[in-house]
Amino acid sequence: MNVLVVGAGAMGRWFARTLATNTTGEVAVAFADADPDAAGAAADTEWGRAVPLDTDETFDAVCVAVPMPAAADAIETHADRATRAVLDVTGSAAGPVTAMRTHAPDCERVSLHPLFAPENAPGNVAVVVDEPGPVTDDVRAALAAAGNHCFETTPAEHDRAMETVQSRAHAAILAFGLAARDVPDAFQTPVSDALFDLVEQVGGGDPRVYADIQATFDGADDVAAAARDIAAADTETFADLYREATDR
């Protein structure tokens, strides 16, 4: 299998590494990136090669691994370099799937979302199969062989879930981090300790990635509204809100 990975960041490298080391047949990987040095570094690290972003080569499969706001444009630009399959690992589903249908109507089309940072692999991988076939079947088999749990979903279901597990969750954690004050460790409770750990976990990532999530998925406004409701609640209303939250 001859594969072009568009985007030489952590997720593009993870995809190439997972595919190359877990596919039964031979896999040749090329990296293209707006930063040629990044493509070269990825090629050196993952035993691939770097190609120009405007390469006129064609490949069995093209996988787009760029930030979410750039996904649709990248698919439009690079889909015609695929002879058999187009995939993405960008993190959203509806936009990339629509772009793949438009610009790669005769190819296999699959949107993949690893629900973890590459350094925490393996884990759960959400899979939207828009047009299956042997190439994307091999990709999914490689992900499973690496120990990932791949489960199928739809673009609407995926993006709706991301509003909670990413946008709302991150907003709540970061809001606590902004509102919290330093206190001696002796005062920490199991709940506060866990929240500070989550702030540290989120804080170890790339701010741009978290900003892209907030820009792509709704949810943060709901967290802010819920916090206002809690802050304004009298005892009886608070008890109702408490039960509503904990019953979920």
Side-chain angles (χ1 to χ4, degrees):
M1 187 190 309
N2 191 20
V3 181
L4 172 65
V5 178
V6 180
M11 194 53 71
R13 296 184 186 200
W14 168 85
F15 177 83
R17 184 184 321 123
T18 303
L19 192 61
T21 57
N22 293 278
T23 303
T24 54
E26 184 177 348
V27 176
V29 177
F31 290 93
D33 196 280
D35 179 357
D37 290 339
D44 291 342
T45 302
E46 307 304 336
W47 300 95
R49 64 189 179 97
V51 298
L53 197 61
D54 60 353
T55 180
D56 58 3
E57 290 187 55
T58 58
F59 302 82
D60 295 321
V62 171
C63 178
V64 172
V66 300
M68 284 187 286
D73 286 344
I75 291 169
E76 179 180 2
T77 299
H78 298 283
D80 62 359
R81 295 178 174 86
T83 60
R84 301 178 64 187
V86 180
L87 309 95
D88 85 283
V89 288
T90 60
S92 61
V97 167
T98 297
M100 285 188 279
R101 286 176 182 170
T102 301
H103 302 292
D106 299 322
C107 287
E108 300 172 37
R109 300 181 299 277
V110 171
S111 182
L112 303 165
H113 185 188
L115 298 168
F116 49 83
E119 62 269 20
N120 296 325
N124 291 340
V125 179
V127 181
V128 175
V129 181
D130 194 53
E131 184 62 42
V135 173
T136 51
D137 285 350
D138 285 348
V139 171
R140 295 168 65 189
L143 295 179
N148 297 289
H149 169 60
C150 300
F151 65 97
E152 290 195 25
T153 183
T154 66
E157 182 182 50
H158 171 274
D159 288 1
R160 185 168 56 250
M162 291 308 105
E163 292 177 355
T164 290
V165 304
Q166 288 195 325
S167 181
R168 291 185 179 96
H170 299 163
I173 293 165
L174 292 171
F176 171 77
L178 291 169
R181 298 292 181 267
D182 289 335
V183 295
D185 288 344
F187 287 102
Q188 294 290 353
T189 70
V191 172
S192 67
D193 203 33
L195 282 170
F196 277 112
D197 284 347
L198 289 171
V199 172
E200 184 176 356
Q201 180 178 340
V202 170
D206 183 346
R208 186 197 66 186
V209 172
Y210 287 92
D212 288 347
I213 288 169
Q214 294 300 328
T216 303
F217 303 114
D218 293 332
D221 287 345
D222 295 332
V223 173
R228 288 193 295 269
D229 288 344
I230 291 171
D234 58 25
T235 300
E236 183 177 349
T237 302
F238 181 91
D240 290 339
L241 293 171
Y242 178 92
R243 283 189 290 269
E244 181 181 350
T246 55
D247 283 348
R248 294 184 180 183

